């Protein structure tokens, strides 16, 4: 594995050796991992994603038909320009065949644009914005794998409104991901008979949420919807506890919560939170078996981004093996024909617009007295079939699909 830490633009512009005529270009399958290695999303992504991808490569034997599989990693620092420059260098100089990562929607949208332009495959893991398969779609080369803002909103927001929590105030991360999650959650609340009293945008990342929480508390809304993630979610939940918001009768809805967040917060602070997730290590035997192997290597249970990373790399490599080429359009087309069923995905399939539709889970964080130990954090409330969780293809706005 090679690690790159780049802050500037690539300098050379060399046409990558593509494989339109079949075969493996340059006799190597190169995967570039463009990750948050040091910022607010590093716990859900970062080194754990590298471990997960390497597990997929190891499962394929480290090569396909005698062609070695090489992994490169880089830190996009949650900046779209840095992520784009890395991807351009990988395409122009390093002849990368697949870019994965982008656990920041702004970075992910930028990566999808660059990889589409360069004609290399891209699989987003961790970037939530549904724009990746709608207004910013690139269906011939780009796939959105683990979850999106539609699925998160359709799970948590709909469930809470149906329980009578019908007035909402949103605290939203002020960038592409937060905006889209807020938009989708507002739509879900209103479509199910609820009302949105107001919202406030918080800079990304934010340490002190006190002013935003006080505005939300003063709104009188039954629910404060947190359209943020990572350390922003952890900080807002902790500070909401300190302000006595939940004790005062308002509910918190964390629209994107990871098991690593719950581990960092502790069950005393996180108990009772409703969430939507694409993966839980204890969901079934297949997940438990893979998660135990991951924990041996990484020292903790996987987030759904880690599990999604494993799944996406494994299935990409299977598609390369099936087609005998690393040509991006050929491999992505093959992925759209394959059922996706592994340690991560249940009833998965890659749709025409590049969205990997699969079952999601509505869960609730356990009370401390319910937990049997570390990582025993969720009660799975229900399974949400993929077709119910994600926006339908007919309701999507991907022009490349509409025009075909």
């Amino acid at each position: 594995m090679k690690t790159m830490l780049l802050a500037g633009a690539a300098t050379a512009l060399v046409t990558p050796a593509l494989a339109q005529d079949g075969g493996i270009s340059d006799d190597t399958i190169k995967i570039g991992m463009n990750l948050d290695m040091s910022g607010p999303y590093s716990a859900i992504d970062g080194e754990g994603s590298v471990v997960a991808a390497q597990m997929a490569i190891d499962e394929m034997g480290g090569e396909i038909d005698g062609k070695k599989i090489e992994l490169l990693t880089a830190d996009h620092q949650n900046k779209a320009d840095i992520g784009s420059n890395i991807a351009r260098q990988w395409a122009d100089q390093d002849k990368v065949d697949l870019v994965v990562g982008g656990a920041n929607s702004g970075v992910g949208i930028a990566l999808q644009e660059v990889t589409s332009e360069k004609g290399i495959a891209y699989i987003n893991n961790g970037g939530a914005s549904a724009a990746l398969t709608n207004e910013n779609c690139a269906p011939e080369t780009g796939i959105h794998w683990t979850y999106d803002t539609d699925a998160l909103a359709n799970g948590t927001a709909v469930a809470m409104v149906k329980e009578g929590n019908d007035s909402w105030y949103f605290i939203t991360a002020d960038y592409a991901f937060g905006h889209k999650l807020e938009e989708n959650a507002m739509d879900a609340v209103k479509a199910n008979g609820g009302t949105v009293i107001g919202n406030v945008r918080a800079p990304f990342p934010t340490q002190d949420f006190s002013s935003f929480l006080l505005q939300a508390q003063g709104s009188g809304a039954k629910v404060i919807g947190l359209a943020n993630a990572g350390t922003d979610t952890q900080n807002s939940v902790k500070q909401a506890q300190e302000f006595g918001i939940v004790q005062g009768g308002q509910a918190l809805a964390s629209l994107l919560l990871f098991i690593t967040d719950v581990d960092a917060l502790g069950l005393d602070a996180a108990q009772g939170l409703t969430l939507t997730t694409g993966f839980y290590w204890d969901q079934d035997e297949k997940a438990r078996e893979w998660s135990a192997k991951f924990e041996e290597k990484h020292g903790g249970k996987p987030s759904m981004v880690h599990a999604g990373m494993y799944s996406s790399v494994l299935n990409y490599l299977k598609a390369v093996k099936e087609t005998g080429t690393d040509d991006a359009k050929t491999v992505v087309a093959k992925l759209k024909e394959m059922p996706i069923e592994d340690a991560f995905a249940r009833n998965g399939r890659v749709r025409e617009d590049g969205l990997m539709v699969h079952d999601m889970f509505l869960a609730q964080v356990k009370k401390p007295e319910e937990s049997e130990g570390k990582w025993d954090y969720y009660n799975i409330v229900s399974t949400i079939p993929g077709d119910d969780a994600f926006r339908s293809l007919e309701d999507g706005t991907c022009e490349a699909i509409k025009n075909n």
Side-chain angles (χ1 to χ4, degrees), residues 24-35:
I24 303 299
S25 57
D26 312 303
D27 286 338
T28 306
I29 302 151
K30 286 191 177 181
I31 301 172
M33 305 191 71
N34 211 323
L35 309 172

Side-chain angles (χ1 to χ4, degrees), residues 147-210:
Y147 54 85
D148 74 4
T149 46
D150 278 317
L152 299 171
N154 287 335
T156 304
V158 172
M160 293 191 72
V161 171
K162 287 182 176 176
E163 290 173 352
N165 297 299
D166 55 3
S167 61
W168 288 59
Y169 189 98
F170 288 89
I171 298 176
T172 302
D174 193 10
Y175 78 104
F177 150 68
H179 299 169
K180 198 68 177 177
L181 184 55
E182 177 193 80
E183 174 191 327
N184 292 155
M186 284 182 174
D187 288 346
V189 167
K190 293 173 185 173
N192 285 274
T195 57
V196 176
I197 292 177
N199 67 313
V200 62
R201 301 275 172 86
F204 169 78
T206 294
Q207 297 292 322
D208 182 1
F209 278 86
S210 55

